[in-house]
Amino acid sequence: MPEMPDFDEIMKMAQNAQAELQKAQDTLDTVEVEGAAGGGLVKIRATAKGRILAVEIDESLLSRGEKAMTEDLIAAAINDARAKADSAAAEEMQKMSSTLPLPPGFKLPF
């Protein structure tokens, strides 16, 4: 049976994991995704951390009478960007957690 690491080793591993997690969180703000709605009439660029970087609205939506549809498309594009950001974040966290030397059964809080 493999020898269980002592408490100090476990604490060091946890601190290393926390540092790697913070590094991964910082990386998420550099990963960009684009959400779209209305066949690309509205586009939202965001980071995987969920920070909105840009909003692009096709000029055809700026005519009179398109306000409600434009608002709906903006909300849909933001939700699309958010879903893609969550997916990109999960992928980055998975990459990060697979490289950490953690004791068997040790789970990270994500």
Side-chain angles (χ1 to χ4, degrees), residues 2-10 13 103-104:
E3 188 179 314
M4 185 69 180
D6 69 21
F7 184 74
D8 289 338
E9 286 179 64
I10 291 172
M13 286 179 190

Side-chain angles (χ1 to χ4, degrees), residues 9-92:
E9 286 179 64
I10 291 172
M11 289 306 294
K12 193 187 294 186
M13 286 179 190
Q15 287 170 343
N16 288 343
Q18 189 173 9
E20 289 297 317
L21 181 59
Q22 185 58 52
K23 201 184 320 178
Q25 286 287 330
D26 294 343
T27 299
L28 293 182
D29 214 34
T30 65
V31 175
E32 290 186 20
V33 296
E34 182 178 270
L41 291 174
V42 174
K43 296 178 184 172
I44 304 288
R45 212 166 34 92
T47 68
K49 208 167 185 177
R51 186 167 54 94
I52 303 298
L53 300 172
V55 177
E56 186 181 315
I57 301 170
D58 189 274
E59 286 189 31
S60 67
L61 292 174
L62 302 179
S63 63
R64 283 178 140 353
E66 300 296 338
K67 183 179 185 296
M69 183 174 71
T70 301
E71 290 169 345
D72 288 346
L73 290 175
I74 290 170
I78 289 171
N79 289 331
D80 187 43
R82 179 76 247 171
K84 289 175 179 170
D86 289 346
S87 177
E91 194 175 304
E92 287 295 318

